[in-house]
Every structure is written in structure tokens, then in C-alpha cells.
Amino acid sequence: QSVLTQPPSVSAAPGQKVTISCSGSSSNIGNNYVSWYQQLPGTAPKLLISDNHKRPSGIPDRFSGSKSGTSATLDITGLQTGDEADYYCGTWDSSLSAVFGGGTKLTVL
Amino acid sequence: QITLKESGPTLVKPTQTLTLTCTFSGFSLSTNGVSVGWIRQPPGKALECLALIYWDDDKRYSPSLKSRLTVTKDTSKNQVVLTMTDMDPVDTATYYCARWYSSSWDYWGQGTLVTVSS
């Protein structure tokens, strides 16, 4: 059971937009930055979004993040087949540990 | 260029102790604000942070696994070592090391699959 809650799966057609949610509490998301990771099949996770909404160099602006209260959201616009992956949110928790969501599998129909 | 790479056994027996080494380059673990941690992922399951060691040697552990984990660093060798005692088949997972910087895991190793089986 992950500390942060994500939907197990989302799907959309190529070119469309998809939103992935991440829900936590005041012990984690409510008082800390949220980051997002993309894990393509068979590979290590890759940082997509840091500090709630910042994109590292090389990440397309099709990916955007936001946070409100104890929840965060990852938006992906202009979906491509290459975006099919598992997406994880992460943050720090007052238990003094980094935590992750359970992951969301994105299917591009 | 920042890289991290995990090394260690691919197979351990139940009750044994697992020792994994993360060798990194492109940054120093003596730099203020830099940390290196261990994250695991059982097959088909989610990511779980195990341990984190800071530039000043402060350490953080997963509350549920704290009694079994030890993380150390050798700054001169650019290495971080994780030991996990009393391994069980449920500990079968891919183990990643990653850099924790500015509230995110910004660089990851390729991961190493550890299987626990007799």
C-alpha cells in the first residue's frame, strides 16, 4: 500500500490530453514539493517534473505538473505512442522518508 | 555527465544479508545538499524508497524496514553501500540507486535485479 494514491491506469487517444492525479496528506504533499517520474517498459524511472511544476532540461513542454493542497496533477498533452509508460509521483513524508505513489499505467489507444 | 550504477549479487538465499554498492560519477557526495538513496521495485509493483544518505552523513530509512537496513558512504571512492539483513523472497526486486537533490530523484542507476530464493 503506497503512501500516495494514484489511479492504476489511464488511457487516451494519440494527440489527446491525459491527467494523472496524486493524492496525499499534510504529512507529505501538503508540505513538500512533488516530483513525477516516467518509467518506460524495462527501464529505470526518469525525472519528468520537479518542485511541483519544473521540467528538467530535455523534457518536452507537453508534460506539466501542478499542486494544490494535498494533491498534485501531471498533465500530458499531444499524446504520443512513445508516452506509454508507468508514471509515479513522489515527495517527502514527515516519517522522514521519501515516498512514492502506486504508479499509473498510461495506455495510448 | 552524472551516472550511477548498482552492483551486487543477483541471487541471495533466505535469511542471508544483501550488500549492494552504488558507484557514481559526475558529482560529489561531499557537496552540500547532495544525497544518494536506494529505491526498490518488486516485479510488477511500485517504487519504494529504502534509504537515503546525505552529504553530511545524516541517514534516513524506510520506517517499515529500518531495523534491517544500513547505508554508508565512501566519499573518496564515490560509493554508497546498502546492506539489508534477513532477506526473504518478498524482497525480490529491482534495486535502484539514485541521486536525491532539490527534493527529487534526478539521476537513476539502471537497477539490478535481486532474487531471493533457496
Side-chain angles (χ1 to χ4, degrees):
Chain A
Q1 191 80 2
S2 299
V3 174
L4 307 178
T5 301
Q6 298 180 234
S9 63
V10 295
S11 62
Q16 297 300 304
K17 172 185 173 181
V18 71
T19 296
I20 299 174
S21 61
C22 175
S23 178
S25 69
S26 58
S27 298
N28 39 67
I29 291 178
N31 284 286
N32 293 286
Y33 286 118
V34 175
S35 50
W36 289 90
Y37 305 88
Q38 177 192 60
Q39 187 174 32
L40 296 169
T43 69
K46 170 186 172 183
L47 178 64
L48 270 185
I49 298 288
S50 65
D51 295 359
N52 302 332
H53 62 89
K54 295 180 180 178
R55 282 187 305 276
S57 175
I59 301 300
D61 60 6
R62 300 188 297 108
F63 297 90
S64 62
S66 62
K67 173 186 139 177
S68 178
T70 59
S71 294
T73 297
L74 173 69
D75 288 325
I76 310 173
T77 59
L79 275 174
Q80 302 175 1
T81 55
D83 296 333
E84 284 204 338
D86 293 324
Y87 292 83
Y88 292 90
C89 58
T91 188
W92 190 258
D93 189 88
S94 61
S95 63
L96 301 182
S97 176
V99 293
F100 292 98
T104 299
K105 182 176 181 61
L106 168 64
T107 300
V108 181
L109 302 169
Chain B
Q1 180 189 5
I2 291 175
T3 64
L4 302 95
K5 187 171 184 178
E6 309 84 355
S7 59
T10 58
L11 179 65
V12 298
K13 297 184 187 310
T15 75
Q16 286 188 334
T17 294
L18 171 68
T19 299
L20 293 173
T21 300
C22 175
T23 303
F24 56 88
S25 63
F27 67 96
S28 172
L29 198 40
S30 60
T31 300
N32 195 319
V34 175
S35 315
V36 171
W38 290 92
I39 298 146
R40 73 177 178 180
Q41 184 174 37
K45 296 189 178 181
L47 302 168
E48 176 185 24
C49 179
L50 302 177
L52 188 61
I53 187 164
Y54 291 85
W55 78 98
D56 60 358
D57 210 38
D58 193 12
K59 300 163 188 178
R60 296 286 182 263
Y61 295 103
S62 164
S64 61
L65 294 168
K66 186 174 183 177
S67 63
R68 299 173 52 205
L69 297 172
T70 302
V71 64
T72 60
K73 65 180 175 70
D74 186 329
T75 304
S76 65
K77 292 183 179 179
N78 282 351
Q79 290 183 332
V80 171
V81 176
L82 177 77
T83 59
M84 178 180 285
T85 62
D86 194 23
M87 293 292 284
D88 183 273
V90 300
D91 296 313
T92 293
T94 296
Y95 288 75
Y96 297 99
C97 66
R99 189 178 83 155
W100 174 261
Y101 183 70
S102 190
S103 303
S104 61
W105 301 101
D106 60 353
Y107 291 92
W108 294 66
Q110 65 189 23
T112 185
L113 175 62
V114 177
T115 301
V116 184
S117 175
S118 55

